[in-house]
Amino acid sequence: MNQPGGHDARYVLGIDFGTLSGRAVVVRVSDGAEVGSAVHPYRHGVIDTILPATGRDLPPDWALQDPDDYRDVLRTAPRQALASAGVAPDQVVGIGIDFTACTVLPVRRDGTPLCEMPQWRDRPHAYVKLWKHHAAQKQADRINAVAHERKEPWIGRYGGKISTEWQYAKALQVLVEDPEIYHQAERWIEAADWITWQMCGVETRNACTAGYKGIYQDGAYPTRDYLVAVHPGFGGFVDKLDHPIAPLGGRAGGLTAEAAGWTGLPEGIGVAVGNVDAHVTAAAAQALAPGRLVAIMGTSTCHVMNGERLAEVPGICGVVDGGISAGSWGYEAGQSGVGDIFAWYVEHAAPAPYASHETLSAAAARQPVGAHGLIALDWWNGNRSLLVNHELSGLIVGLTLATRPPDIYRALLESTAFGTRMIIEAFEEAGLPVNRLTIAGGLAGNQLLMQIYADVTRRALGVVGSTQGPALGSAIHAAVAAGCHPDVATASEAMGRVHPDQHRPDETRARAYDRLYAEYRILHDHLGRGGNDVMLRLRAIRNAALGGGS
Amino acid sequence: MNQPGGHDARYVLGIDFGTLSGRAVVVRVSDGAEVGSAVHPYRHGVIDTILPATGRDLPPDWALQDPDDYRDVLRTAPRQALASAGVAPDQVVGIGIDFTACTVLPVRRDGTPLCEMPQWRDRPHAYVKLWKHHAAQKQADRINAVAHERKEPWIGRYGGKISTEWQYAKALQVLVEDPEIYHQAERWIEAADWITWQMCGVETRNACTAGYKGIYQDGAYPTRDYLVAVHPGFGGFVDKLDHPIAPLGGRAGGLTAEAAGWTGLPEGIGVAVGNVDAHVTAAAAQALAPGRLVAIMGTSTCHVMNGERLAEVPGICGVVDGGISAGSWGYEAGQSGVGDIFAWYVEHAAPAPYASHETLSAAAARQPVGAHGLIALDWWNGNRSLLVNHELSGLIVGLTLATRPPDIYRALLESTAFGTRMIIEAFEEAGLPVNRLTIAGGLAGNQLLMQIYADVTRRALGVVGSTQGPALGSAIHAAVAAGCHPDVATASEAMGRVHPDQHRPDETRARAYDRLYAEYRILHDHLGRGGNDVMLRLRAIRNAALGGGS
């Protein structure tokens, strides 16, 4: 049988490791059809209040995970996904994963997590630090201050700021707060690379996290001199990272007998190099060519785009050679609050008759552009776009006694579209044209929101043709690692799925939005660039009033 | 019997003519005790959609009344109030009224309203124009433009702007839209003066409305030259107003036999010169001495204060010699949105569990100053304080995902307190010290709001000791007109009631508010004084989107 779905069809498995669960999707190599899937929630979820091993409280802003929860996903989800697909294990030729990032853990040279060694089981710093572990701000501040002092060449590639979420701040926190664990950690590794290591028995370091989270630029990590300047004991940190960098779509190794036992898959099949959820989605969206921006829109938005050349774009999260796909400069930018602002409005600010996205959207959709007379700045969760300041806050202007909930809701939707347009324009002003805009993530299904984005950005929007964009992207990388396609670009064309031009801009509305966007920019620059630092002062006043620190 | 309440005690009647009803209060002359009251709603209420005589629609922004509704108050409320008090009619020695303003009507030389003449009954312009009739903005714009062009000396006494609500704009609208009615109107008179005329059979013009609403300054109305420059047919308008000005507390005349029949009161008792609800409250608040500011706080706030000298204060509604009491310069200022902003929040912006003033106040009261991290500009209904621009709008800054309804509610309360502090400082910067602050009106009972005002203004607040401050003030004026007290100041000391120092400022909170007020001022000046006219542009965009005009 030569039919696409016949018994001789080949499949790959993509697994997306999220914040609360892992999802395995079975994908056909020839055309990317998703034929089955399964989800397995992490038993310990996010460990942010009490460490189970001790029953003791964790400090504020901590967020840990237990790495064996990731192995549990391998033990359960692939078998269930195959069963749901009716695909036999021997039809599966490769496996690939993507992960949240920067999610990072201390391990021994053989890959054993310190938290799985009985003597360190009760030490919080021995566990995985999840991406949203935010207790290392002081360390990040130090890292940035010294980088700017010393004019480190790489700092401009991260919009001038290394995040508290990334590898260095988190590791430095371990060094400062639990030096013994820091010294026991022979390796400091992204969970994406660690779970790949668990599957194939070989340590790899993927180009994506090494670049975006590990400050690996132009073939090198930050220098020992720099690290010593940050902290006298930090000079050897890079030894815990150092390893040849593996390209995305590369083969990390073959599935070990042990991992074959967990997954029920054939021993020896190709295991792809690890990847990150947002970046891997570009392959699913057939958006690897330069100038194709993918916005992964959920509680927050992550923007990824390949560029032909290196440029420093203000406020971006990072630019990494091969960070999205080998041979291009991968750019990442972000908006720190999007869906969570809309959720805040519905849960905490909408009167009863309006308290649902459906009701608000239906009423807001009937308004002509500008009829509500409002502008909002979408900084409820700070700004990690051009301004990179998490102490900025939200604003609404234009309120009157006639303002009603759909007015405010629509203004909030629009504010995030203006935020995206700011990012697009920053790319273009840096000489990186944005030719196409593709939307992925949970918000892609909101018709009103999508139309607003099309009108505000004056671009036809494509929508990724899978609700499991990251897992599909991982499957594409698995197919390349398994040798079924020559490279990720070819695999993406064959297996990715995008509905082009799903939402087209309307010229009249676009012109009306130009006027509102002009107002957004004026407020953005005045309140975000020193014209009036009222937001920062209000934050300081608030913190003092609540008796807190920063 | 010489007891205060004995059968030989003397009483006066104060009647407060509001927007929807008239309220009569029986007050003892000796000590101001309020012994009985009655309310009578206007049968036609506010005529703002359909003119009853024709059944035809009125244009937008119109607000008329039927003057016979005011007589109905005289026919019912005094008898009921006396009955509820157990006071005999022959114990009543005087009557005085206060009215909304500028509420104005066209009448014949004998006081007959044009709308009561069968041939004009179907003409909308023949009726009373209520204070909130807002359909004469174009006329007001013309009046102001010409005044500034010609540098009319009086314009500075009205904060640089004559309101669309006042006598001239409303009359000019009649001239332009229904010249026949304009020419039939031998007199153009405030309802305060007209209902007084109905009671005593003698036309008077009170110093308060003549000054604040009639541009009567330094013994003269605007010149014929000015009026002709505004409109060629408007030159004779002042002839419809001109009449000797009567001081507040003066005797307009004696109660006519006809009015005695309506009210059940003795013919010939003293009828006081008419007055305005806000201004008459100063007497009730024992606040006639210079530097005692009274804030009458309801849906909006009106501030009245006597000063020893003439000064031009930016943005005030007006300064009038004898406008509050004879012998002082009376200053009036205002905030166009106060209680109606709080009501907007509860009705249109608060989630279900919080949708009451009580719940929100209780939760907001527990917060330390500044803990919500918010600043609001209280311009939901425009600004008629220092900026005098009704196209300004509201703003909230500092919003985060952690912002909850009591945070926003408290920020709104505070914003109106900051607005009051701006007015107080404008007075003081003009050389008019504000020594004491007394609160009247419905919001005086909100403990949290009062404490915020005390802390923000760093002043102990007095509260008027009557829930019917205007009617009590009118009764005080009636007692003077009846000859029971030599002047209004003496009567106010004997009959007025204030609870001094009801709310004292706390120094720690006051210092914290100084920091927030500094932020309010920066935003106020930037957004209200040309730094960024975003609010005006958003209003224009909104109006264009809705297909409307201004």
Side-chain angles (χ1 to χ4, degrees):
Chain A
M1 286 173 61
N2 281 321
Q3 286 173 283
H7 293 299
D8 56 353
R10 291 176 304 171
Y11 294 88
V12 283
L13 209 72
I15 307 181
D16 170 41
F17 287 88
T19 299
L20 295 170
S21 64
R23 173 184 297 269
V25 178
V26 183
V27 178
R28 194 158 56 212
V29 165
S30 59
D31 63 357
E34 297 169 31
V35 298
S37 72
V39 180
H40 184 78
Y42 304 148
R43 186 152 63 94
H44 300 91
V46 178
I47 302 169
D48 55 4
T49 51
I50 291 168
L51 191 70
T54 61
R56 281 202 294 273
D57 284 346
L58 293 170
D61 296 327
W62 276 58
L64 306 179
Q65 292 199 314
D66 187 320
D68 198 48
D69 289 350
Y70 308 146
R71 289 196 202 92
D72 272 346
V73 172
L74 299 180
R75 294 181 187 112
T76 53
R79 293 175 193 272
Q80 291 172 18
L82 285 179
S84 79
V87 164
D90 63 5
Q91 292 180 275
V92 177
V93 296
I95 183 168
I97 65 96
D98 63 88
F99 225 104
T100 62
C102 165
T103 293
V104 67
L105 66 161
V107 302
R108 301 296 293 174
R109 197 173 310 283
D110 66 356
T112 305
L114 294 195
C115 64
E116 295 186 352
M117 300 169 72
Q119 65 271 42
W120 313 124
R121 188 84 186 137
D122 62 349
R123 303 277 270 268
H125 277 297
Y127 286 75
V128 179
K129 285 189 166 60
L130 184 62
W131 64 275
K132 65 176 176 176
H133 175 92
H134 285 149
Q137 186 59 52
K138 268 186 228 163
Q139 286 75 31
D141 293 345
R142 174 81 187 147
I143 284 164
N144 285 309
V146 176
H148 284 287
E149 240 166 58
R150 293 171 46 97
K151 300 187 174 32
E152 292 293 336
W154 39 260
I155 190 73
R157 295 196 186 173
Y158 300 95
K161 208 167 265 189
I162 300 301
S163 168
T164 178
E165 291 184 4
W166 299 350
Q167 294 177 7
Y168 289 70
K170 281 170 169 160
L172 184 56
Q173 188 195 7
V174 182
L175 169 61
V176 170
E177 298 181 4
D178 195 344
E180 195 171 20
I181 290 294
Y182 178 82
H183 293 297
Q184 288 292 326
E186 292 169 329
R187 311 294 290 157
W188 183 248
I189 189 166
E190 287 281 337
D193 290 331
W194 180 80
I195 194 70
T196 301
W197 189 353
Q198 294 295 298
M199 291 194 291
C200 68
V202 181
E203 179 181 356
T204 52
R205 299 282 174 152
N206 75 78
C208 179
T209 54
Y212 292 108
K213 316 302 178 187
I215 320 185
Y216 184 84
Q217 290 286 353
D218 299 331
Y221 287 105
T223 62
R224 174 175 291 267
D225 281 357
Y226 163 74
L227 294 169
V228 168
V230 169
H231 185 289
F234 206 44
F237 172 62
V238 160
D239 299 341
K240 300 179 195 289
L241 307 177
D242 207 19
H243 193 89
I245 303 300
L248 303 177
R251 179 183 161 106
L255 195 68
T256 62
E258 186 182 27
W262 294 336
T263 56
L265 298 174
E267 187 179 341
I269 61 168
V271 176
V273 168
N275 210 326
V276 174
D277 45 13
H279 303 71
V280 80
T281 303
Q286 298 183 327
L288 297 176
R292 297 188 181 180
L293 182 70
V294 181
I296 301 96
M297 298 180 58
T299 55
S300 61
T301 292
C302 187
H303 307 80
V304 293
M305 183 177 85
N306 272 327
E308 284 180 292
R309 59 183 205 79
L310 174 64
E312 291 193 359
V313 185
I316 57 166
C317 303
V319 49
V320 171
D321 188 6
I324 296 170
S325 61
S328 291
W329 289 94
Y331 290 83
E332 179 189 351
Q335 288 175 266
S336 45
V338 181
D340 55 7
I341 300 178
F342 313 151
W344 170 87
Y345 186 72
V346 169
E347 289 165 27
H348 299 294
Y354 286 101
S356 84
H357 291 290
E358 294 68 26
T359 310
L360 287 162
S361 293
R366 288 192 289 270
Q367 301 186 352
V369 174
H372 52 48
L374 301 173
I375 287 283
L377 288 178
D378 53 322
W379 303 341
W380 266 246
N381 204 17
N383 175 299
R384 75 165 187 228
S385 306
L386 278 69
L387 305 171
V388 199
N389 190 330
H390 72 275
E391 299 203 325
L392 293 173
S393 52
L395 170 143
I396 307 176
V397 61
L399 296 157
T400 76
L401 296 177
T403 302
R404 293 294 174 270
D407 301 334
I408 297 175
Y409 186 74
R410 184 172 179 123
L412 295 178
L413 301 185
E414 290 166 348
S415 72
T416 68
F418 297 144
T420 286
R421 181 164 165 182
M422 290 291 292
I423 290 170
I424 291 173
E425 292 187 357
F427 276 125
E428 300 211 312
E429 282 160 22
L432 299 163
V434 176
N435 305 318
R436 200 178 289 186
L437 181 53
T438 306
I439 310 295
L443 293 179
N446 183 323
Q447 301 302 306
L448 171 63
L449 185 69
M450 291 301 104
Q451 190 58 55
I452 289 170
Y453 272 61
D455 292 335
V456 166
T457 64
R458 260 202 177 76
R459 278 169 170 80
L461 303 188
V463 173
V464 173
S466 167
T467 56
Q468 305 304 332
L472 175 58
S474 290
I476 289 170
H477 285 75
V480 177
C484 302
H485 291 290
D487 53 43
V488 179
T490 308
S492 167
E493 287 309 305
M495 300 171 68
R497 256 191 318 286
V498 65
H499 303 303
D501 301 346
Q502 281 289 91
H503 305 276
R504 292 173 191 276
D506 170 85
E507 181 54 27
T508 305
R509 288 195 300 265
R511 266 200 303 268
Y513 273 129
D514 284 343
R515 294 181 66 187
L516 294 176
Y517 177 66
E519 302 298 341
Y520 177 93
R521 277 197 81 131
I522 292 169
L523 290 167
H524 175 284
D525 290 353
H526 182 69
L527 292 163
R529 289 181 162 146
N532 180 0
D533 284 336
V534 55
M535 292 170 177
L536 312 186
R537 292 190 298 269
L538 286 175
R539 183 64 60 104
I541 290 169
R542 184 196 80 173
N543 290 345
L546 294 173
S550 67
Chain B
M1 284 173 65
N2 282 319
Q3 285 174 283
H7 292 300
D8 57 352
R10 291 176 304 170
Y11 294 89
V12 283
L13 210 72
I15 307 182
D16 169 44
F17 287 88
T19 299
L20 294 169
S21 64
R23 174 182 297 267
V25 178
V26 183
V27 179
R28 194 159 53 212
V29 164
S30 58
D31 61 359
E34 297 170 30
V35 297
S37 72
V39 180
H40 184 78
Y42 304 147
R43 186 153 62 96
H44 300 92
V46 178
I47 301 169
D48 54 5
T49 51
I50 291 169
L51 190 70
T54 61
R56 283 202 294 272
D57 285 346
L58 292 170
D61 296 327
W62 277 57
L64 306 179
Q65 292 199 317
D66 187 320
D68 198 48
D69 289 350
Y70 308 147
R71 289 195 202 94
D72 272 346
V73 172
L74 299 180
R75 292 181 188 115
T76 53
R79 292 173 194 274
Q80 292 171 18
L82 286 178
S84 78
V87 164
D90 63 5
Q91 293 180 275
V92 177
V93 297
I95 184 167
I97 66 98
D98 64 88
F99 225 104
T100 62
C102 164
T103 294
V104 67
L105 66 159
V107 301
R108 301 294 293 174
R109 199 173 309 282
D110 66 356
T112 304
L114 293 194
C115 64
E116 295 186 353
M117 299 168 73
Q119 66 269 44
W120 313 123
R121 187 86 187 135
D122 61 349
R123 302 279 271 269
H125 278 297
Y127 286 76
V128 178
K129 287 190 164 61
L130 185 61
W131 63 274
K132 66 176 176 176
H133 176 91
H134 284 150
Q137 185 60 52
K138 268 186 225 161
Q139 286 75 32
D141 293 345
R142 175 79 188 150
I143 283 164
N144 285 308
V146 176
H148 285 286
E149 240 166 56
R150 294 171 46 97
K151 300 190 173 29
E152 293 293 335
W154 39 262
I155 190 71
R157 296 199 185 168
Y158 299 94
K161 208 167 264 187
I162 300 300
S163 168
T164 177
E165 291 184 4
W166 300 349
Q167 293 176 6
Y168 289 68
K170 281 172 169 159
L172 184 55
Q173 189 196 5
V174 181
L175 169 60
V176 170
E177 299 181 3
D178 195 344
E180 194 171 18
I181 291 295
Y182 178 80
H183 292 296
Q184 287 293 325
E186 292 169 329
R187 311 293 291 158
W188 183 249
I189 189 165
E190 287 281 337
D193 289 331
W194 179 80
I195 194 71
T196 301
W197 189 354
Q198 294 295 298
M199 290 195 290
C200 67
V202 181
E203 179 180 357
T204 52
R205 299 283 173 151
N206 75 79
C208 179
T209 54
Y212 292 109
K213 315 302 178 188
I215 322 185
Y216 184 85
Q217 291 284 354
D218 299 332
Y221 289 106
T223 61
R224 174 175 291 266
D225 281 358
Y226 163 74
L227 294 169
V228 169
V230 168
H231 186 290
F234 206 43
F237 173 61
V238 162
D239 299 341
K240 301 178 195 289
L241 308 176
D242 207 20
H243 193 89
I245 302 301
L248 302 177
R251 178 183 161 107
L255 195 68
T256 61
E258 184 182 28
W262 295 335
T263 57
L265 298 174
E267 188 181 340
I269 61 168
V271 176
V273 167
N275 210 328
V276 174
D277 45 11
H279 303 70
V280 79
T281 302
Q286 298 183 327
L288 297 176
R292 298 191 180 177
L293 183 70
V294 181
I296 300 98
M297 298 180 58
T299 54
S300 61
T301 292
C302 188
H303 307 80
V304 293
M305 184 177 83
N306 272 328
E308 284 179 290
R309 58 183 206 79
L310 174 64
E312 290 192 1
V313 185
I316 56 166
C317 304
V319 48
V320 171
D321 187 7
I324 297 171
S325 60
S328 291
W329 289 93
Y331 290 84
E332 179 189 349
Q335 289 175 265
S336 45
V338 181
D340 55 6
I341 300 178
F342 314 150
W344 170 86
Y345 186 72
V346 168
E347 288 164 28
H348 299 297
Y354 285 100
S356 83
H357 291 289
E358 295 68 28
T359 310
L360 287 163
S361 294
R366 288 192 288 270
Q367 301 186 354
V369 174
H372 52 50
L374 302 173
I375 286 282
L377 288 178
D378 53 322
W379 303 342
W380 264 247
N381 203 17
N383 176 298
R384 74 165 187 226
S385 306
L386 279 69
L387 305 170
V388 198
N389 190 331
H390 72 275
E391 300 203 322
L392 293 172
S393 52
L395 171 144
I396 306 177
V397 60
L399 295 157
T400 76
L401 297 177
T403 302
R404 295 293 174 269
D407 302 333
I408 297 174
Y409 186 72
R410 184 172 177 121
L412 294 178
L413 300 186
E414 290 166 348
S415 71
T416 67
F418 297 144
T420 286
R421 181 164 165 183
M422 291 290 291
I423 289 171
I424 290 173
E425 293 187 357
F427 276 124
E428 300 211 311
E429 282 160 21
L432 299 163
V434 176
N435 305 318
R436 200 178 289 185
L437 181 53
T438 305
I439 310 294
L443 293 178
N446 183 322
Q447 301 301 306
L448 171 62
L449 185 68
M450 291 300 105
Q451 189 58 54
I452 289 170
Y453 271 61
D455 293 335
V456 166
T457 63
R458 260 203 176 75
R459 279 169 170 79
L461 304 188
V463 172
V464 173
S466 166
T467 56
Q468 305 304 332
L472 175 58
S474 290
I476 288 169
H477 286 74
V480 177
C484 302
H485 291 288
D487 53 42
V488 179
T490 308
S492 167
E493 286 310 304
M495 299 171 67
R497 260 193 311 290
V498 64
H499 303 303
D501 302 348
Q502 281 288 92
H503 305 277
R504 292 171 190 278
D506 171 84
E507 181 53 28
T508 305
R509 288 195 300 265
R511 267 199 303 269
Y513 273 130
D514 283 344
R515 294 181 66 188
L516 295 176
Y517 177 66
E519 302 298 341
Y520 177 93
R521 277 198 80 131
I522 293 169
L523 290 166
H524 175 284
D525 290 352
H526 182 68
L527 293 162
R529 291 182 161 145
N532 180 359
D533 284 335
V534 56
M535 292 171 178
L536 311 187
R537 290 190 299 269
L538 286 175
R539 183 65 59 103
I541 290 169
R542 184 196 80 173
N543 290 345
L546 294 173
S550 67

